[in-house]
Amino acid sequence: MAAPSDFKPIIVGFLCNWCCYGGADLCGVSRFQYPPYLRVIRLMCSGRVDLEFIFRAFAKKADGVFIGGCHLGDCHYNPEGNYDALGNSLVAKRILENVGVNPDRLRLEWVSAGEGIRFAEVMNEFGAKIKSLGPLGSSEGREIPDLQAGLEAATQLVPYFKLVERERFRVPKRTEDGYHEFFSRPDFEPLFKELVIDKLTMGRVMGALRAGESSAGDIAKKLRLDAAEVARHLHLLSQQGVVRMNGSEAQVAVAA
Amino acid sequence: MTFGLLQQQMDTQRVLRGADDNMGDIMVVGGGISGIQAALDLSASGYKVYLVEKSPTIGGKMSQLDKTFPTNDCSMCIESPKFIETDRQPNIELMTYTDVDSVEGEPGDFTVTLLKKPRYIIEDKCTGCTVCVEYCPAKIPDPFNQNLSLNKAVHIYFSQAVPLVTYIDDSCLFLKDKTCSICQTVCENDAIDFGQKAEKVKVKVGAILLSPGYETFDPLPRNDYGYGQFKNVVTSMDFERLLCSTGPHEGQILRPSDKKHPQKIAWIHCVGSRQVTPGGNSYCSSVCCSYTQKQVILAKDHLPDMHAKIFHNDIRSYGKDFERFYQRAQKLPDVHFIRSYVSVGSEDPVTGDVSIRYTTPDGVVEEFFELVVLSVGLAPPKDAQRFSKVFGIELNHHGFCKVDPFNPLQTSRPGIYTSGAFQGPMDIPESVMGASGAGAQASYLLKSRRGQLSEDRVYPEEKDTSEEEAKVGVFVCRCGANIGRVVDVPGIAEYAKTLPGVVHVEESLFACATNTAKAISDTIRDKGLNRVVVAACTPRTHEPLFRDTLREAGVNQYYFDMANIREHCTWVHSKEQEAATQKAKDIVRMSVARAGKLEPLEEFSLPVDKTALVVGGGVAGMTSAHTLAEQGYETYLIEKASDLGGMASRLHYTLEGMDVQSFLKDQKKKVYRHPKIHAITDATITHVDGYVGNFTTTVASKGRVRTIKHGAAIIATGAVEYKPTEYLYGQNDKVMTLLEMEGKLAKQDEKLLAAESVVMIQCVGCRNEDRNYCARVCCSGAMKNALKMKALKPDVDIYVLFRDIRTYGFREDYYRAASNQDVKFIRYEPQDLPQLEAKDEGGRSFIRVTAADPILGKRLELDVDAIVLAAAVIPTPGSNELARQFKVPLGPDGFFQEAHAKLRPVDFAAEGVFLCGTAQYPKHLSETITQAYGAAGRALTLLSRDTVVASGAVCAVTARDCVSCGACISVCTYGAIDFLDTPRGKKAVVNAVLCKGDGLCNAKCPTGAITLSHYTDGEVFNQIDAALELV
């Protein structure tokens, strides 16, 4: 869908103090121009960016979220938090996709404090990208309340995601390749689906049911999920006694 | 107006009042990185420092560099925080644009007459807004950009300058013929004063430190390689500016003749260095090989299709990680390193390309390049001769400062020290460690007056407003025209008034000007504000100033937030005024929302145990320990062997001919006899606990175990000689290492002196797959011992088989001396190592060495009587264990890893632990001594304080919410979080002293039990919500 020409995106940016924020400063000092979409939140380290920050920004209708850290290997801090930012963004992108937000709306970049020009380039490029996607929901073809419901379900699960990440998604090699390799391993997708996406889907189904009784088909349509998938989750949820099937099994509701 | 100026205004009145009032402890002359480091260390150790710089700003040569090798850190980015630190330090009196006129007196009581040049700017009034620069009609070549671009007659030297004020160059139209005074008209602060005259200021100090740096070699007088004749021949410093985003073309590499991107670039090494021809310098400039590689790497990054040829002599990658850096440059596509002397042919009249003639195995080739970069060497500072007269110090025959190899920081005049490249060509870390070391020595001279002139700032008592409702004051800065001309400042101010919690809004022309900052303090007090938002520029430079303003008003400094509407708004959206105004309002709204959530935080002080522990009793450890003990600090010196001395016990003379054993004997005596040094030999460290200021180390020695409490630790455990497994070592007694040869020469071993011929093989056990580094000292070691052997037996034939001769700096003189004494140098390639065969023929037993001679292009056979292997210097066994105990890292080659390769060469990232000597990397004795003084100097900045202050923005745990999952503990590599057994089970607790405030744990904690203060979830949520409030 083409964005209206007067669309002025808002991008929430989390910038680490030591590199990217410095790069943004230098960009200013050097008077490199970029579009006025970014709203900056300064953090000490990109590793401080919580999954919840990202979900919250989108739930509040940010058109894009930007995370800027030090180049890998250059983190100001000993624990190299930028690797965690990398891991987090890879997880967040998958979750965003699942709840219907185009993952391209989240961008992670490394910008050093000396790369003023690069900061402008990144902002110009990302700004144009978001501009072309249009307001949140438009390129996705989704209603904002639907997206918000999904993001709410994801936010609820953040504590769980953190535990899963720690227990099961520990990346063995602290290198950029190591991270990408880990997240593209053949056994990663099924594991991620089982541990994260399934839980998220359940959360979303429950969220939809809290809004009122509905049929499996309707839920699937609303959440843009596969009907069989929804039925499978409903079955599991009913076994756990958290939803009840009404009569013909066509209607389900949250168990009282 | 910066914080320093605020300070200065208070202090300068005193400065300019009368000569006798200008009392300081130490004067540092030269405000480059070395002078800055010395001033910072000394002021932190309780001394009042005058920092005198001849340029309009501090920063020196480092500020002109784009990146630094071998990490490619952005040079300005790592240096400029030091500028701000210098500016803020109340005990540094900064005197820029000032020369030294004369010096009288003696150690402890010098009177220095300074000549303050007129800037034609009243520093206290100038806010650095640069409106005058905009209007100034006189364009001049910009010295900061090597005259490659234009600037105005009035300008700020560079955008991060300290002081951040303008100066007026002599080319100003008013100064020339009074035809223009537009700057006076446009300056809203009346900061321009054409009536200023040069002014003499007398200052009394106890000691002087000279760190005037160096000049780059100027190829113009000789037109070296066509420089000055051909437009597209530039120096490496010119190229440095071309690479830099603040350079003449905003980081675009454009060649001078037609401003096109050159796709074919040549670098020529050793321009002005390693030359005995008139106008050249005979020494090696030490830094050019690595900086050239840096430029090649960066240029390739800028111009991916670039073809480059680098014409070099020996590649001298002798420093830590330099060898890998060289390999990185070598591996780049279309980049070729060619070992050849070159000459420049001609300039193509049409294209402006320049031809270079060089030799290849197939003969001489002439090739055109679009740009030629001359890797120019380092020369003594321009003022060196004048300095020598003014300060009464001697220069060496190269024109640099003359120093004693056993104390390279002492000039020929007592009470005057030196650091940095004035001692001779050196790179940044050596300048920095020298600065700390020279500081330590000056500090010793003045120990009785420590703390007498330095002063701490005193603030009013802080009000507790934590229970009050938020009363936010918003101050919107126009920054002259910088903000005010792009966005609607009155509109923003009006808007701010409507925001929740805001009770006061004010506009100011310059929020950071001294008078405004004071007025803000008054307003906070008068209006009872308990939260302050300043909408102005970046917190990275100005937050400390405004925090201070809050402290002055008796409000907790963490109740402050900065809305960056300049760097992040008006400067980057200057053509979209309406959108920029809207964005500025959003930024202010976010800041106010955050301010509402802010909490008061305490910066807490911890006591410092004024005892030091030095691990390693070699020259490095002994020098550090002695420096600390002499200044009154109890020092424990831990040595694993049964006697002090370390590796130096095996050295007998230096390259310069100094007697190492008598130096060592003297030093050991001083250390053993010192009442404050507790040397423990045969010792092992079994356990280390604690943190900066408060360590507890357990040491076992000769059956006795003792626990030592100390505030600082210095690791000086040295390195060892590699025991070769190659070249018949250990199988044939004609084969020895370089150190063994030295021992034999020292006692005039008959068998060795009977040898008619000797082959010395370099790079044994390093520069290979096992050890990918250069051991730095062996080339000079070979020269030293070859020359010694020649002195003892002039007719001996010596052949040195080498890969690159790395006699950097003044050591080059000895390479030349060896060559002149007919020592033969034969280069070999790593894929074609020399072959050795023990032979017994015709009653003579000898070793036959076979090697390829690349110059003659044939195989050589040498039958010799002795083989000397330059065995590598390798890390001391047990370094791993020690690193683990002190929670400090080792580098990839097994040497201890300093906090920062360039600017923190003797610090560890772990506070309170320092490093020196060959434990860090192989180095020469004089370098070790410098670094040992440096480590002591850094330790003094800690030990001289009674307390250490830790930031309030650290993590804390709400025990109730902690589920003991350990997620926080596993991410915190600082070891700041531990489990504590409580009645409710194990709970994480933060040791705030060790916490660095990155907040990684906060993002990992599943229950939100651990929180990073000042960047809490609540504060960030407020900012997110405010950012999107209008969507």
Side-chain angles (χ1 to χ4, degrees), chain A residues 11 65-66 104-105 107 122-130:
Chain A
I11 299 170
V65 170
F66 176 77
D104 288 347
R105 291 185 185 273
R107 168 97 44 121
V122 167
M123 279 305 128
N124 280 309
E125 208 268 319
F126 189 45
K129 175 80 199 171
I130 296 296

Side-chain angles (χ1 to χ4, degrees), chain B residues 191-213:
Chain B
I192 289 161
D193 175 11
F194 284 113
Q196 276 184 1
K197 296 269 179 298
E199 183 184 358
K200 279 197 176 176
V201 181
K202 276 190 196 298
V203 179
K204 278 178 170 301
V205 289
I208 297 171
L209 168 60
L210 302 179
S211 53

Side-chain angles (χ1 to χ4, degrees), chain B residues 332-609:
Chain B
L332 292 171
D334 303 319
V335 167
H336 302 283
F337 281 77
I338 295 168
R339 190 184 291 265
S340 168
Y341 288 103
V342 300
S343 62
V344 154
S346 59
E347 180 187 46
D348 183 317
V350 181
T351 60
D353 295 355
V354 178
S355 79
I356 288 182
R357 278 189 295 266
Y358 61 97
T359 49
T360 68
D362 309 322
V364 176
V365 173
E366 180 159 6
E367 188 176 350
F368 275 89
F369 291 88
E370 293 171 37
L371 183 69
V372 175
V373 184
L374 306 183
S375 295
V376 290
L378 272 47
K382 276 201 188 90
D383 285 346
Q385 295 293 340
R386 197 179 65 85
F387 260 51
S388 155
K389 286 194 194 77
V390 168
F391 291 98
I393 53 156
E394 287 174 49
L395 302 179
N396 67 19
H397 68 281
H398 294 299
F400 288 89
C401 188
K402 186 174 176 183
V403 293
D404 170 0
F406 286 137
N407 185 358
L409 304 166
Q410 171 69 58
T411 69
S412 58
R413 181 170 175 186
I416 302 187
Y417 306 91
T418 184
S419 73
F422 190 34
Q423 292 168 259
M426 62 173 64
D427 63 358
I428 293 166
E430 286 171 60
S431 303
V432 171
M433 59 182 91
S436 299
Q441 295 195 21
S443 165
Y444 166 59
L445 175 70
L446 303 171
K447 62 181 173 182
S448 60
R449 46 200 272 190
R450 186 196 297 277
Q452 290 180 7
L453 292 172
S454 74
E455 48 197 73
D456 290 331
R457 299 199 57 182
V458 184
Y459 297 95
E461 206 183 323
E462 204 173 285
K463 280 187 308 211
D464 178 10
T465 59
S466 53
E467 299 302 314
E468 288 176 18
E469 221 174 283
K471 283 192 270 183
V472 186
V474 180
F475 297 84
V476 188
C477 178
R478 304 182 69 88
C479 193
N482 284 309
I483 294 172
R485 201 168 44 194
V486 177
V487 293
D488 170 19
V489 170
I492 295 168
E494 275 309 308
Y495 175 72
K497 284 181 190 159
T498 67
L499 295 169
V502 174
V503 297
H504 179 80
V505 179
E506 218 174 88
E507 286 174 49
S508 60
L509 184 60
F510 292 103
C512 58
T514 317
N515 46 358
T516 320
K518 266 211 183 89
I520 293 177
S521 275
D522 294 340
T523 309
I524 295 171
R525 231 177 282 116
D526 298 346
K527 306 268 175 192
L529 304 178
N530 56 21
R531 307 275 198 288
V532 175
V533 168
V534 171
C537 51
T538 173
R540 278 168 49 100
T541 56
H542 281 66
E543 191 174 64
L545 163 71
F546 290 113
R547 280 189 173 182
D548 213 69
T549 309
L550 266 71
R551 291 181 80 182
E552 290 286 354
V555 174
N556 186 283
Q557 56 176 327
Y558 288 89
Y559 275 138
F560 172 74
D561 196 55
M562 255 188 121
N564 185 347
I565 59 170
R566 189 179 74 176
E567 279 85 346
H568 292 187
C569 189
T570 60
W571 275 352
V572 288
H573 314 307
S574 56
K575 295 191 182 64
E576 299 172 83
Q577 305 199 341
E578 209 172 301
T581 301
Q582 187 51 53
K583 175 169 172 178
K585 286 180 183 172
D586 290 357
I587 296 173
V588 171
R589 186 174 64 242
M590 289 166 70
S591 227
V592 169
R594 171 175 163 76
K597 273 273 178 194
L598 290 175
E599 286 158 17
L601 300 174
E602 279 308 313
E603 299 201 321
F604 44 97
S605 332
L606 301 145
V608 174
D609 188 315

Side-chain angles (χ1 to χ4, degrees), chain B residues 70-261:
Chain B
T71 49
N72 284 356
D73 263 309
C74 153
S75 189
M76 183 61 92
C77 312
I78 57 175
E79 195 189 17
S80 62
K82 300 245 178 204
F83 299 170
I84 296 167
E85 225 181 310
T86 306
D87 199 19
R88 291 196 64 220
Q89 169 55 258
N91 296 316
I92 299 178
E93 197 76 63
L94 190 55
M95 313 275 283
T96 52
Y97 221 40
T98 301
D99 281 322
V100 177
D101 193 53
S102 64
V103 178
E104 285 156 17
E106 55 193 63
D109 183 23
F110 288 109
T111 302
V112 185
T113 308
L114 299 172
L115 194 66
K116 215 170 169 333
K117 295 179 273 189
R119 288 181 99 101
Y120 306 107
I121 299 291
I122 303 166
E123 287 189 33
D124 293 351
K125 284 193 174 175
C126 177
T127 63
C129 77
T130 67
V131 169
C132 53
V133 182
E134 225 168 289
Y135 284 92
C136 174
K139 289 191 173 170
I140 58 159
D142 187 353
F144 180 64
N145 272 339
Q146 295 285 102
N147 299 338
L148 292 168
S149 63
L150 296 178
N151 209 322
K152 300 292 187 66
V154 58
H155 70 271
I156 294 180
Y157 201 71
F158 52 76
S159 33
Q160 296 84 345
V162 164
L164 191 63
V165 295
T166 50
Y167 76 105
I168 297 180
D169 184 84
D170 292 338
S171 52
C172 161
L173 300 178
F174 184 92
L175 294 178
K176 280 208 304 220
D177 48 20
K178 299 199 166 38
T179 50
C180 166
S181 58
I182 191 161
C183 51
Q184 269 184 323
T185 326
V186 298
C187 178
E188 299 192 41
N189 241 20
D190 295 327
I192 289 161
D193 175 11
F194 284 113
Q196 276 184 1
K197 296 269 179 298
E199 183 184 358
K200 279 197 176 176
V201 181
K202 276 190 196 298
V203 179
K204 278 178 170 301
V205 289
I208 297 171
L209 168 60
L210 302 179
S211 53
Y214 64 93
E215 286 300 325
T216 47
F217 173 80
D218 183 4
L220 197 59
R222 296 193 304 185
N223 295 123
D224 293 40
Y225 302 104
Y227 185 79
Q229 292 171 329
F230 305 150
K231 271 190 162 173
N232 293 325
V233 178
V234 299
T235 68
S236 44
M237 192 53 113
D238 298 340
F239 195 73
E240 206 65 49
R241 295 312 302 152
L242 286 173
L243 283 169
C244 190
S245 58
T246 59
H249 311 300
E250 280 93 32
Q252 299 232 48
I253 303 173
L254 303 179
R255 65 177 190 165
S257 72
D258 50 12
K259 305 283 182 287
K260 279 191 186 144
H261 293 288

